[in-house]
Structure formats: C-alpha cells, structure tokens
Amino acid sequence: MENVYGNPHSQNISSKLTHDTVEHVRYRILEHFRTSAEDYSVIFTSGSTAALKLVAEAFPWVSPGLESSGSRFCYLTDSHTSVVGMRNVTTAMNITSIPVRPEDMCVAETRGTAASDPDCQLPHLFCYPAQSNFSGTRYPLSWIGEVKAGRMCPVSAPGKWFVLLDAASYVSTSPLDLSLHQADFVPLSFYKIFGFPTGLGALLVNNRVAPLLRKTYFGGGTAAAYLAGEDFYIPRQSVAERFEDGTISFLDVIALKHGFDALERLTGGMENIKQHTFTLAQYTYTALSALRYPNGAPVVRIYSDSEFSSPEVQGPVINFNVLDHSGNIIGYSQVDKMASLYNIHVRTGCFCNTGACQRHLGISDAMVKKHLQAGHVCGDDVDLIDGHPTGSVRISFGYMSTLEDAQAFLRFIIAMQLHQCDDQPLSQITPGEAGAPPESEAQDAVPATMDGYSSSPQEDAPTDTGLSNDLPTPVAAVGLHPPLLMASRPQQTPSEKAAGALDGRLGPHVITNLYLYPIKSCAAFEVTEWPVGSQGLLYDRSWMVVNHNGVCLSQKQEPRLCLIQPIIDLQQKIMVIKAKGMEPIEVPLEENGERTQVCQSKVCADRVNTYNCGEKVSSWLSKFFGHPCQLLKQSSNFQRSAKKRGKDQSAGSTATLSLVNEAQYLLINTSSVLELQQQLKASEEHGEEELFPTKELISRFRANIITNGTRAFEEETWDEISVGSLHFQVLGPCHRCQMICINQQTGQRNQNVFQKLSESRARKVNFGVYLMHTSLDFSSPSFLSVGSQVLPVLKENTERHDQPASEKHQDVTS
C-alpha cells in the first residue's frame, strides 16, 4: 500500500527498492539464526522440499571409479519424505544411499577414528532432522560438529563429511544458533514459523561449502553473461544469485520482515516460544499418559523417544493413537472426524515420515507393501488393516497455543472415550497430578478430567434458526405415473418396531421412504414415486452451492445448508427454493442453451462442468448465509464417471454420477436405524426424553432409499437388489463423516450419533450401502415407488433358487 516494488532484475527506482529490501530481509534471516553474511548465504526457494532438491542436485558427488569408492549419501531413517527422496537424484549418479537408524548413531563415534583419513577429500553427505516431524524427538545439534570433524561417522567410509540439518520442524518453535552449530546446509520453511507466506522457504549455505556446489541449469537472473548461439555461460558471483532461477517471490520475501517484527513483538523471541510450547506439550503429555479406563487400561498409546523431560530432547509434538478399553487401537480417521466436531484440527497418517512411522508403530517393510496392495496410500483414511494401524494422530503446539487449547483437547479425548466402558467415567486426574503449570499461571484453568463438564461443541452451531422442524410432506411425481396405494398396517411403537426388526418377524423388504436432494447438502425432498435417470433419481444432487471462490459448500463448513428446502415441480419444470424468513424463489430445471456459460468446478476431487443459475438466486443465497454464494448446476451434457465399479463392470462401462460423493444411490435399513436409536437411548444417563426420533435420525443419514428390514445391518450382506424391473449392484458400505452429527431440521450439531456408531460398529463408522444401476432401459420411463418390494441377493449366493424367475422382480403393488 505504501511502496511500488518492481522486478529486482532491473535498475529503475522500484526495482532497486525491491532488491535492497530483499537484501535487508536476507540479513534479518541470518540475524534470526545468530549468524551473518560472512558465514552463510540465503538462497530463497519455494519451500524446504525445493531446498533439499537443490542440495541433491548441486552437491559435488563423486561417482565410484577405479581410484575411488565414490561418495556416500546417508540419511536418518527418522527423516521427512523430502530428505529420503534425495536418494533418487543420487541413485541416478550411481551414488550409494545408506539409511541410518537413530540407534545406529550411538555407535557412530566408534567408527569415527577407524574411518578417519585426513588426506582423503572424497565428499559424503549426512542428513538428519533437528526435530522429528513425527514424534518431536530432538536429535543432538552436537552431531553437526562431531560428524564434520570426523569424530562420528554415520558409516565407515574414508573422506570428508558434510552435514545437512533439516531444520524445518525445529525452527518453528526453537532458536537455532548457527554460530555454534555450523551445518553446511540448512533447509527451512517460513510458513512453519509464521503461518504466512506459504510456498516460500530458504536454503542456508555455509559459505565455505558454496564454491563446491555445481549448477547444471541456469535461469533468468543467474547469468553474468551467456551466448544464445554458443555454449558460453558465466554465472553470477554470489551463491544466491547463481541458484535463484527466475524472479523470486519478492513480495512474499518482503512479508518476512513483518513476520519477524511481529514474532519478536508478541513473544520476545524464540527462547520464550521454546519454553512456552514445551510446557504446554509436557502438561498435555503427562495428562494423556495418566488417563485410564476403569479397568486400568490406558486411553492412549504415545509414540515418543523421551519422557518430555526437557525441551533439549523433545519438541512440542505429541504423536499417539487412541485405544479402547480392551487395548485395541481406534483408527486415526475416526479420531480425526470426532476431533472436527470439537473444532480441533489434528494431523493424521504417517506425516510424510514413513521411517519413523514404521519404527514406532511396528510396521515392517513387508507390511507397507501389503498395505499398498490392500489399497492404502499415503494421505488416505484407511487407518486399520487387519487390525493393525497404518498411521497415528499428531498434535503440535505453536507460539499462539494456550493452556486452554491443551485442556480443550484433553476434554475432547475424555468425552470421546467417556462412555466406552459401561458409562463409567475415566480415572480422574487433577492438573497437579498431570504436571500442570502452577496455579499462579493456570488461574482458573479447567482440570484435564472433571465431572459435569459440557462435552457438546455447540459454539459454532446456530442456536435459534427460527425454522420449522417439520420435514416436508412427501409428494408424487405428478402427471407421470398413477400414485401407488400404500399398504395399510397397524402402527408400531419404536420399541415394537425394534423388536420385530431384530428377531425377524417383519415381512418382505419394502421401500418405506424415498428422498432426493436436488441441491447438494441442502434439505431432502421426500416423494412417494419418482422417475429414475441415468445418474440416479432424476435431479438428485444436480445443483450445488459454492462460495465466492467457487468452492462447493457442504454442511461440514456451513451447517445451515440443511435449512434450505428445494421442491421440484416436474409439470412446471421449476425448482422452488424455500427458507425461513425468505421469499420463495424459482429456478428452471434445465439450462437455457443459448445464454448458458459453462464453468469448471470440482466435486470430491473430480472436475465437473457446471453453469451459473443467475444473479437472482445468488443474491437470495448470499442474503440467507450472510456471505457471497452462487448456485451452480451440473451441465446436462457432462458425464462424470463413478469411482466405484461393480464386480462385472469394466472401466469403459462405469456408471455416471451427478454431484454426489460416491455413488448413484444410498440405501439404509430402518432396522439398522432402530438399533442405533436403542443404543442412543440406552446411553442416556439421566433418562431424559428421547432425543432422536426415528424420522429425525433417518434424516441425518441423507439416504435416497429407506427400506424396512428383518435384521439390523443385513443390507451389508447384500450383493445386489432388484426393485421391479430395476436392478442395482451393491457397491459396499458408506463410510460416514461428521455430517451425521447435524440435526437436519435445526442445523445444530451433536456428536453422540457419530460416537455411538463408532463404538457399536467396531470403530468403522459405516451406515447404509451404495447402489448403482446394473443396466437401464430407457425405452420406457422407470420409476422408484414407496411400497415397492426390494429383492436382495446375498453375497454368498448367485441365484435365488427358491423363487421362480418370473417372480424375482415382481412389484409388490402390481
């Protein structure tokens, strides 16, 4: 706002201002790490990963030959993926890569003397993290001097050792004094320190090593002189100018100055941050370690190489898995989903550190390969395979973290596991026992475990929506098909229904309710009969609400989406959208081909073609939500392929989807709902009035087809189903997320449903099954109707021999 900054590769006034300001920031960075431009140079990169790649490509490796055994590249197994990835560069140069386990470094000192040869200058590189990004273990900075001096050798190899200190995790909460610990290369990332700017890092290079680095590519700004028609190139003199190809992100670099100013002003410096964050981590670690079930079993298993005794050996990172009262691990995906309900954001998986993950979780190399064959890849939510964890949960504290944050996390763990064992509370601990800060520091801090706390994270849920709690009245597809006659039968109480469902007294499977959701994540539209299209129920999830950036909104970010009620009128070819306090608005069912402009959007990582439904409905939605929104509809000529395929389907015949997440249809069984309802009712400690009426509970699962049933969760044993002339493949269970905790009539959250389902379903929060058309005949209209019989085929059966073929697909109302 106050300056004009030009490209620094020029001599005009604005360019000179940029160059001088960037140079000042370089000095400020070196000052922060207690060194100067006499000893180190700052090369700006896109992040610590790019800095590591630069070292791998520019290090003066010597390939093995007749007179040399070649350079060695050694890295600690407790290293980030980006460090391990350097070996692909070295392998291409025929350089030997050697992983070194942390315990092996204990005997590295004995190898030092044997391997020392002052006359051999063969260059080797040893990389290790100052702080493990997996567990927070802090490795000795003294290794730098010991390895460089030859007193420690990661492996026995004559030559000169250089050290790369991966400081990205460490410097986010601790001071690093490069005047004492003179690593040759120090990659780092600034967003880990300040949170902003992202995509900016640096490589600090010891000036004694800089002349040895070899450059292969040269980009804009790096050449002192070169010829286009001849192989002639002279690099710039300074190491930064030689290696910063192209124009650096100079506005982000300038932002770093303000980051350092703010950090110093708010905290007083990195030493204060180090003590503050360690105290929070130590308190939380002690409290977590003390949590016990009534049977004495621990609530969590913490993965650590220390007892959190000192910030010299442990950073403010806690890595763990949650256990049930029998000692079985609860998958990290379930913990992550529950944490989100409490507005706690955790990191899960292996954290781009497979070596540490294997060591702490006991995962062998063979198991990693087996997990890959089972479909697990880094970053997904496949948290347990054959009962063995594929990853864990990590929490980290930064300079802005507070004691209240730590206690909120502890309350979440307690609430999550509170009803695990016959509704008995966990063993109680006090802040003093948990290693809490003194009372003078904690003031009115809440104990880590206490009776009578409120475990419902309602802060972000609307408390007074003013909307009617009534579900919409079901309608038929007017004018398309005669309405079906509903079979009359006496009404049952929920307990009677549950009893019938559990002991098999109910009759055949019948569709009891049909729902479509015209606008993704908005309220259901209940019908008694509805036409079937190529992507599922006609107009199901054909529209979506997006924010001002074009990102699709769901109830996870905007729970009030469920208060938007779309109603489709097939005769008038319009969709009417209603909400409390708003005038109804109409939207055409189909786009006007002449005026429609196609735009690109994303749904569940898939690219989709959509079009904007106009400013009128955008203004309506923006007024309701209080921030800019738009309504988009999937283009009618766009085909989105399903990720899930049936057993007999080839890739070329994959079904097409609307804007749904996974599959064309979702089916749930009322018997399953009733069993869950009984479990929820039984867990009510104070005998309060039933909190989860059947229809309200059904609405949370946002299914298309609701059937009665003979047994809870029997739908998961089905391989396929038929409804009249329509045939469906059962693709598998629906893995539930936090949306089932949202009351679809009020928009309020309650985590009990997710928690109870997680407990009762052996930690896999599955509910309902996905369906897909096996074939569709468009020669005549097809419909799904309430009252139609559902004929399942079990997975172990291929044919129902007890039923004549002519009766297999007969409609119960025909």
Side-chain angles (χ1 to χ4, degrees):
M1 293 174 65
E2 299 176 7
N3 300 284
V4 177
Y5 293 105
N7 188 310
H9 299 157
S10 189
Q11 296 299 313
N12 60 63
I13 297 174
S14 59
S15 296
K16 193 72 169 65
L17 177 63
T18 301
H19 178 272
D20 292 346
T21 309
V22 167
E23 291 308 302
H24 172 76
V25 174
R26 293 189 206 270
Y27 299 144
R28 185 68 181 273
I29 292 169
L30 294 173
E31 180 185 35
H32 181 79
F33 294 111
R34 301 177 189 178
T35 186
S36 67
E38 282 70 42
D39 291 325
Y40 280 88
S41 295
V42 179
I43 302 173
F44 287 113
T45 64
S46 64
S48 55
T49 295
L52 291 163
K53 183 171 180 282
L54 190 158
V55 174
E57 293 172 341
F59 188 80
W61 305 106
V62 174
S63 299
L66 294 176
E67 300 180 357
S68 169
S69 59
S71 298
R72 299 287 189 272
F73 168 54
C74 294
Y75 57 90
L76 206 68
T77 52
D78 189 356
S79 287
H80 194 278
T81 300
S82 300
V83 171
V84 181
M86 295 170 68
R87 73 185 182 197
N88 273 24
V89 176
T90 62
T91 300
M93 302 178 186
N94 202 25
I95 302 299
T96 302
S97 298
I98 304 171
V100 180
R101 298 179 303 169
E103 53 267 34
D104 292 338
M105 286 303 291
C106 298
V107 296
E109 189 172 357
T110 61
R111 288 194 293 262
T113 307
S116 61
D117 182 354
D119 297 326
C120 182
Q121 296 297 305
L122 187 65
H124 309 299
L125 181 64
F126 173 56
C127 304
Y128 80 98
Q131 174 177 295
S132 168
N133 76 304
F134 181 91
S135 63
T137 296
R138 287 182 168 169
Y139 294 101
L141 296 178
S142 60
W143 285 0
I144 297 170
E146 295 294 303
V147 171
K148 289 179 64 175
R151 292 187 293 270
M152 289 180 71
C153 283
V155 295
S156 295
K160 182 176 177 59
W161 282 94
F162 296 85
V163 177
L164 181 151
L165 181 73
D166 179 6
S169 178
Y170 181 85
V171 298
S172 62
T173 55
S174 284
L176 175 62
D177 190 340
L178 291 179
S179 67
L180 294 177
H181 307 290
Q182 297 191 356
D184 298 295
F185 308 100
V186 183
L188 51 93
S189 175
F190 292 110
Y191 93 87
K192 288 182 171 64
I193 305 174
F194 307 121
F196 177 89
T198 59
L200 180 66
L203 177 67
L204 308 187
V205 180
N206 194 308
N207 288 337
R208 291 191 293 272
V209 182
L212 303 177
L213 297 180
R214 300 179 300 203
K215 188 82 184 293
T216 53
Y217 171 83
F218 69 91
T222 64
Y226 78 97
L227 291 173
E230 183 182 325
D231 187 9
F232 174 77
Y233 161 69
I234 303 298
R236 288 190 179 272
Q237 187 171 4
S238 82
V239 65
E241 290 178 317
R242 287 205 307 274
F243 283 92
E244 288 173 352
D245 293 307
T247 304
I248 60 173
S249 185
F250 54 83
L251 291 181
D252 285 339
V253 170
I254 294 169
L256 294 179
K257 174 190 179 299
H258 304 283
F260 284 115
D261 289 345
L263 197 72
E264 185 69 31
R265 185 178 69 252
L266 293 173
T267 69
M270 295 303 296
E271 186 62 38
N272 290 346
I273 293 174
K274 173 183 176 181
Q275 296 298 331
H276 170 71
T277 54
F278 174 74
T279 301
L280 290 176
Q282 185 184 50
Y283 164 66
T284 308
Y285 167 81
T286 309
L288 277 178
S289 302
L291 286 179
R292 292 290 185 273
Y293 288 103
N295 65 1
V299 175
V300 299
R301 179 179 298 158
I302 297 175
Y303 305 110
S304 174
D305 295 312
S306 77
E307 297 295 326
F308 283 70
S309 58
S310 162
E312 306 307 317
V313 297
Q314 179 65 48
V317 175
I318 304 175
N319 196 305
F320 64 96
N321 268 317
V322 179
L323 310 175
D324 64 18
H325 64 276
S326 300
N328 300 312
I329 287 177
I330 298 170
Y332 61 74
S333 178
Q334 307 311 322
V335 178
D336 189 14
K337 291 173 183 176
M338 283 297 296
S340 294
L341 296 174
Y342 289 77
N343 202 26
I344 295 172
H345 299 194
V346 297
R347 178 85 186 266
T348 60
C350 274
F351 322 103
C352 294
N353 192 330
T354 298
C357 194
Q358 286 186 256
R359 181 166 70 93
H360 285 285
L361 273 64
I363 304 174
S364 66
D365 294 352
M367 289 171 70
V368 171
K369 296 173 182 177
K370 180 183 176 183
H371 293 170
L372 179 63
Q373 292 175 342
H376 169 60
V377 296
C378 290
D380 67 14
D381 59 358
V382 181
D383 48 21
L384 294 170
I385 297 179
D386 297 331
H388 200 284
T390 62
S392 53
V393 182
R394 187 186 73 186
I395 60 171
S396 308
F397 294 100
Y399 76 82
M400 72 300 296
S401 300
T402 65
L403 177 62
E404 289 74 20
D405 294 333
Q407 291 172 334
F409 169 75
L410 290 168
R411 284 196 296 270
F412 152 65
I413 292 293
I414 294 164
M416 178 184 172
Q417 299 303 100
L418 189 61
H419 302 291
Q420 281 293 94
C421 197
D422 298 326
D423 291 336
Q424 299 179 55
L426 298 170
S427 299
Q428 193 165 333
I429 55 176
T430 66
E433 293 170 334
E439 281 189 27
S440 59
E441 295 180 27
Q443 298 294 332
D444 298 324
V446 183
T449 313
M450 57 180 291
D451 294 327
Y453 63 84
S454 172
S455 62
S456 299
Q458 297 291 348
E459 290 81 6
D460 59 345
T463 56
D464 183 13
T465 61
L467 290 189
S468 167
N469 290 345
D470 296 332
L471 283 173
T473 303
V475 299
V478 180
L480 289 174
H481 202 69
L484 289 171
L485 296 174
M486 295 296 293
S488 61
R489 51 181 177 268
Q491 294 296 309
Q492 296 174 294
T493 66
S495 59
E496 289 171 338
K497 288 181 181 177
L502 294 174
D503 69 7
R505 287 200 299 266
L506 290 183
H509 300 287
V510 171
I511 295 177
T512 59
N513 303 84
L514 276 176
Y515 299 100
L516 62 145
Y517 306 82
I519 306 176
K520 186 177 177 67
S521 262
C522 289
F525 177 46
E526 185 173 8
V527 297
T528 56
E529 182 180 65
W530 201 253
V532 169
S534 60
Q535 298 172 339
L537 290 173
L538 191 63
Y539 298 117
D540 182 47
R541 276 91 167 191
S542 290
W543 291 264
M544 64 179 174
V545 179
V546 300
N547 66 10
H548 66 287
N549 289 324
V551 176
C552 177
L553 293 179
S554 77
Q555 290 183 26
K556 295 178 189 176
Q557 303 91 27
E558 184 55 83
R560 297 179 71 226
L561 280 164
C562 68
L563 307 179
I564 301 287
Q565 176 62 65
I567 300 169
I568 289 182
D569 188 325
L570 292 175
Q571 286 187 320
Q572 297 189 50
K573 298 182 179 179
I574 59 171
M575 176 174 64
V576 180
I577 308 175
K578 296 182 177 181
K580 182 73 173 181
M582 303 287 292
E583 288 292 325
I585 188 171
E586 296 180 1
V587 176
L589 293 183
E590 301 298 339
E591 63 262 44
N592 184 326
E594 298 176 0
R595 294 181 296 173
T596 300
Q597 185 172 0
V598 173
C599 53
Q600 297 275 310
S601 302
K602 278 210 165 183
V603 172
C604 298
D606 290 338
R607 180 187 59 82
V608 293
N609 286 353
T610 60
Y611 69 89
N612 196 311
C613 295
E615 285 301 318
K616 187 177 178 182
V617 69
S618 293
S619 299
W620 190 95
L621 290 168
S622 301
K623 180 181 178 182
F624 179 79
F625 290 115
H627 54 81
C629 296
Q630 295 177 322
L631 184 69
L632 304 184
K633 183 178 186 293
Q634 183 175 355
S635 298
S636 56
N637 59 356
F638 179 78
Q639 299 291 314
R640 176 180 169 228
S641 297
K643 295 183 178 71
K644 294 177 179 285
R645 291 204 299 268
K647 61 182 181 180
D648 299 323
Q649 250 187 339
S650 64
S653 63
T654 301
T656 59
L657 300 180
S658 60
L659 301 177
V660 293
N661 288 0
E662 297 276 353
Q664 294 170 333
Y665 298 87
L666 179 60
L667 177 147
I668 65 173
N669 174 4
T670 305
S671 295
S672 307
V673 177
L674 293 173
E675 179 170 291
L676 175 62
Q677 185 185 52
Q678 293 300 310
Q679 292 167 348
L680 287 165
K681 190 172 183 180
S683 66
E684 279 300 309
E685 297 176 346
H686 307 294
E688 296 176 357
E689 190 175 330
E690 175 60 57
L691 296 177
F692 300 99
T694 306
K695 195 161 189 177
E696 189 274 313
L697 199 53
I698 287 174
S699 70
R700 290 172 180 255
F701 294 101
R702 299 179 63 81
N704 300 111
I705 301 170
I706 317 296
T707 72
N708 65 353
T710 56
R711 299 188 322 278
F713 303 108
E714 66 178 312
E715 63 275 17
E716 294 179 4
T717 68
W718 298 348
D719 193 42
E720 54 189 75
I721 67 168
S722 297
V723 182
S725 61
L726 294 170
H727 310 295
F728 303 90
Q729 182 80 44
V730 178
L731 299 183
C734 174
H735 304 300
R736 291 299 178 170
C737 68
Q738 306 93 305
M739 272 182 61
I740 64 174
C741 295
I742 299 173
N743 184 313
Q744 294 298 299
Q745 283 72 60
T746 66
Q748 292 187 339
R749 284 190 175 100
N750 182 307
Q751 77 276 14
N752 292 353
V753 176
F754 189 94
Q755 182 166 327
K756 182 56 63 176
L757 198 57
S758 176
E759 293 171 9
S760 63
R761 304 235 63 208
R763 300 297 159 197
K764 287 297 182 186
V765 189
N766 296 338
F767 201 95
V769 291
Y770 288 123
L771 306 179
M772 178 185 70
H773 297 134
T774 54
S775 61
L776 269 183
D777 181 7
F778 289 108
S779 59
S780 59
S782 297
F783 296 85
L784 278 175
S785 306
V786 169
S788 297
Q789 187 173 0
V790 176
L791 299 175
V793 175
L794 299 182
K795 287 181 179 178
E796 59 267 26
N797 298 337
T798 56
E799 191 68 35
R800 297 183 60 163
H801 299 290
D802 59 332
Q803 186 178 19
S806 60
E807 296 176 12
K808 283 182 183 176
H809 309 305
Q810 189 177 21
D811 194 305
V812 71
T813 59
S814 60

